[in-house]
Amino acid sequence: MSQLEDAATNGEVVDLRPPPKPDEITRFYWEAAAEGRLVLQRCDACSRFQYPPELVCTYCQHEGFEPTEVSGQATLYSFALVERAFHAGFVNQVPYVLAMIELAEQPGLRMLTNILDADPEELAIGMELELCFDAIGEQQLPQFRPAKVLR
Amino acid sequence: MSALSRELAIVGVGYSELSRAGSPEPKAISLVAAKEALADAGLSGTDVDGIFEYRFGPESPGAQDMARLIGAPDLAAFGDLMPTNPSGLGAALAGAMAVASGVCETVLVFRCMTREGGYQGGVSGFSDPVLGGQQFETPYGDSGGILMTMALHKQRWMYEYGRTEEDFGHIAVNARRWSALNPRAVLRDPVTMEDYLSSRSIVAPLRLLDCDYPINGAVATVITTAERAKDLRQRPVLIDSMTYATGSRVDWNFTDDFLYGGTRDCADRLWSRSSVTASDVDVAQLYDGFTQVTVSWIEAMGFCGLGEFGDWVEGGDKIGPGGALPVNTGGGQLAEGRLHAISLLNEAVVQLRGQAEARQVPDAQVGLVACGLYPQCGAMVLKGG
Ligand SMILES: [Zn+2]
């Protein structure tokens, strides 16, 4: 019996979302997330942040980074309301909001995220968001929610 | 003279039947399209020395399968192009480069899609940990191919330009105005703006009528030198310029330009190498896997300013039958059916030959074909011979 059928039988909600599998390039990011911190690559040469992690700085191709914690302050760049699962791992998640957010540290520094603790009707591009975390398997997934204290 | 190292001509176009129902054998319909394209050109399989096809997976036979089916004696170049290419036009771009370089003399390019064997785009089902770039997408439920990115794109577009969904609705309505004139099209009933605005949500704000229409079908095209084309059956259609583009900081979600991706780079390079300008275009075939992709291309190509499509399109008349810039004259992926846009190339060729019958754009001399979006852009300017 599948995990999903198991869950249906027992009436419990099982998290079937596929977790990230850290690799040499991304391990620092997920290790920091596990400690409740959002840490991005910051280029030693041009000082820009980048997301997602990559082997080199995608602005200047320099190969050295300082892993740097960011504030978690962000604004909503765009969002979509997913009411039907397009992945079996999300049948227990719908409806959910998939969003693109822009971090306060740098123009154009965008991340994909869900927007937690929010009524989709109240979402508006430009609204202020704050960082939170969401357990996925044994890992912590950086997420965002409407800012409780407006800046 | 074009900017290419040898002058190229498109000399043959072919189609299988396009259908929504049933589950035709991909090899069989690909062969129908290939034979029709070769016959259209006045050529046979023994003339072909290059084959390129675009695919996502097992929905299509490969280039070598096709060589065996048409009896190509040997291939000087071939390729099975995987899905990072500029959609179906990728096969034609690769084939054109093979001929322009002198590696090949006559190439066959094709795309086959079936609903059963084909890539459905929408559904995947594994909870296994995700690798690479997917670590930053899939755990958030960014799945279903590019559907979610398209929803985010549509939302951001409306916000940045202060526009409404009607802008995209003009593309959906336009597709059916043209497909009504195309006997091959799978969807031929008209739709209204009201139909568009009330069509069901796929991933809000993306609607059903924003999305192309999955079908069974195969399309093939034959490309050779302009010199060789003089002796062939059809009035040749010449490739004036062509290019790919990715845009900077190449990615679907985290690219520099989230609204236009590589389309503006593609357009700038295309026009810089062309003997004509955007104002010379008589007929435009612009990718419509999603309505907003066509809007992006219209603006990127310079037919109007960025964000100005909705005012420019004159309530849709500008791009419809009799309009100043006829767009997607066969009904495109939205209405003729989803073929990953190699069909847009064939439609341009048919228009420039003057063979488009009820949907013929009068005296069409210059055609534009553009395909893909974000890092998967490609385009061609074509001229009647
Ligand atoms: Zn740098």
Side-chain angles (χ1 to χ4, degrees):
Chain A
M1 201 189 299
S2 76
Q3 239 181 324
L4 185 58
E5 286 161 333
D6 261 340
T9 310
N10 301 335
E12 59 188 70
V13 174
V14 172
D15 188 354
L16 297 171
R17 293 178 296 169
K21 185 176 170 61
D23 55 41
E24 276 184 37
I25 297 171
T26 67
R27 189 162 291 113
F28 78 95
Y29 177 89
W30 296 114
E31 285 178 358
E35 298 167 357
R37 298 184 301 132
L38 182 61
V39 170
L40 303 188
Q41 289 174 326
R42 185 169 203 183
C43 177
D44 287 338
C46 75
S47 299
R48 289 187 182 93
F49 289 96
Q50 77 175 3
Y51 177 92
E54 183 50 282
L55 193 59
V56 304
C57 171
T58 58
Y59 293 96
C60 78
Q61 282 62 54
H62 181 74
E63 295 189 21
F65 299 100
E66 187 64 42
T68 303
E69 184 169 0
V70 295
S71 64
Q73 293 178 3
T75 51
L76 187 56
Y77 181 87
S78 190
F79 62 99
L81 178 61
V82 187
E83 294 171 293
R84 260 189 331 144
F86 287 89
H87 187 296
F90 288 83
V91 290
N92 295 332
Q93 307 294 322
V94 289
Y96 65 93
V97 173
L98 179 72
M100 188 82 83
I101 59 102
E102 189 169 86
L103 292 168
E105 274 73 11
Q106 180 178 300
L109 183 60
R110 300 193 303 269
M111 295 177 64
L112 277 178
T113 181
N114 302 124
I115 303 295
L116 306 184
D117 307 333
D119 176 354
E121 296 286 315
E122 291 169 6
L123 296 178
I125 290 177
M127 71 187 289
E128 294 182 4
L129 304 169
E130 65 185 23
L131 178 67
C132 56
F133 287 87
D134 175 20
I136 180 167
E138 294 175 357
Q139 290 166 281
Q140 291 289 326
L141 193 60
Q143 293 277 24
F144 287 82
R145 65 187 175 205
K148 296 202 168 92
V149 179
L150 296 185
R151 297 186 287 277
Chain B
M1 285 291 289
S2 77
L4 301 169
S5 48
R6 291 209 291 181
E7 298 295 310
L8 302 186
I10 299 176
V11 294
V13 297
Y15 300 81
S16 73
E17 183 189 357
L18 310 184
S19 65
R20 174 73 171 176
S23 52
E25 161 59 41
K27 249 188 221 180
I29 60 176
S30 297
L31 181 58
V32 166
K35 286 168 87 169
E36 186 177 296
L38 289 166
D40 181 57
L43 292 167
S44 73
T46 55
D47 297 304
V48 171
D49 65 353
I51 300 179
F52 293 85
E53 58 96 16
Y54 176 73
R55 57 156 61 176
F56 279 1
E59 77 278 11
S60 174
Q64 296 183 345
D65 295 316
M66 182 58 80
R68 185 170 61 246
L69 295 174
I70 63 171
D74 183 34
L75 297 181
F78 52 91
D80 300 297
L81 304 170
M82 303 304 276
T84 56
N85 247 248
S87 211
L89 192 65
L93 291 165
M97 289 193 295
V99 178
S101 67
V103 172
C104 293
E105 291 301 313
T106 300
V107 301
L108 174 76
V109 304
F110 69 98
R111 173 75 174 125
C112 171
M113 296 187 82
T114 59
R115 296 186 64 212
E116 185 173 271
Y119 180 76
Q120 298 292 327
V123 186
S124 51
F126 301 104
S127 292
D128 298 337
V130 286
L131 310 172
Q134 289 190 339
Q135 291 172 68
F136 303 94
E137 296 168 341
T138 318
Y140 297 106
D142 179 16
S143 60
I146 64 169
L147 278 176
M148 308 261 174
T149 300
M150 289 290 97
L152 295 169
H153 177 267
K154 184 179 179 184
Q155 186 90 284
R156 181 69 193 183
W157 184 288
M158 292 190 287
Y159 170 81
E160 282 214 11
Y161 295 128
R163 305 294 308 186
T164 63
E165 285 192 79
E166 272 87 345
D167 286 9
F168 309 108
H170 291 309
I171 301 295
V173 172
N174 182 66
R176 303 293 184 94
R177 291 178 74 186
W178 284 108
S179 70
L181 306 172
N182 178 7
R184 186 169 44 236
V186 176
L187 289 175
R188 301 188 65 192
D189 293 337
V191 296
T192 64
M193 186 61 80
E194 290 67 37
D195 294 332
Y196 170 79
L197 293 171
S198 61
S199 67
R200 72 179 164 86
S201 172
I202 301 297
V203 177
L206 203 65
R207 295 184 181 281
L208 182 69
L209 291 182
D210 283 315
C211 305
D212 58 9
Y213 191 65
I215 60 165
N216 307 304
V219 177
T221 311
V222 181
I223 304 169
T224 189
T225 61
E227 188 60 33
R228 180 89 206 273
K230 288 176 188 165
D231 303 326
L232 298 182
R233 192 163 151 245
Q234 301 288 348
R235 178 185 165 200
V237 169
L238 304 174
I239 300 179
D240 182 71
S241 66
M242 55 177 260
T243 189
Y244 297 64
T246 59
S248 57
R249 299 183 68 248
V250 180
D251 195 65
W252 272 87
N253 282 317
F254 305 111
T255 180
D256 280 330
D257 188 342
F258 190 67
L259 289 192
Y260 294 91
T263 57
R264 294 172 66 191
D265 292 319
C266 193
D268 291 349
R269 191 158 49 245
L270 186 74
W271 295 129
S272 76
R273 294 173 180 183
S274 176
S275 68
V276 298
T277 65
S279 62
D280 297 314
V281 172
D282 298 310
V283 60
Q285 313 295 340
L286 306 173
Y287 192 48
D288 58 345
F290 298 90
T291 55
Q292 69 230 59
V293 181
T294 312
V295 174
S296 295
W297 278 116
I298 286 173
E299 296 188 354
M301 284 289 174
F303 294 115
C304 62
L306 303 184
E308 294 176 0
F309 168 80
D311 293 327
W312 169 88
V313 75
E314 294 173 356
D317 289 344
K318 188 86 147 243
I319 58 176
L325 182 70
V327 171
N328 296 348
T329 52
Q333 316 308 290
L334 296 170
E336 187 182 48
R338 179 190 193 217
L339 290 158
H340 275 147
I342 193 170
S343 49
L344 295 181
L345 175 62
N346 279 13
E347 176 66 17
V349 169
V350 169
Q351 287 283 350
L352 296 176
R353 286 178 182 173
Q355 296 173 341
E357 300 181 343
R359 64 186 191 280
Q360 179 66 45
V361 173
D363 196 31
Q365 297 295 322
V366 175
L368 173 66
V369 183
C371 201
L373 183 68
Y374 285 109
Q376 300 184 212
C377 294
M380 282 186 184
V381 175
L382 304 174
K383 290 169 81 172

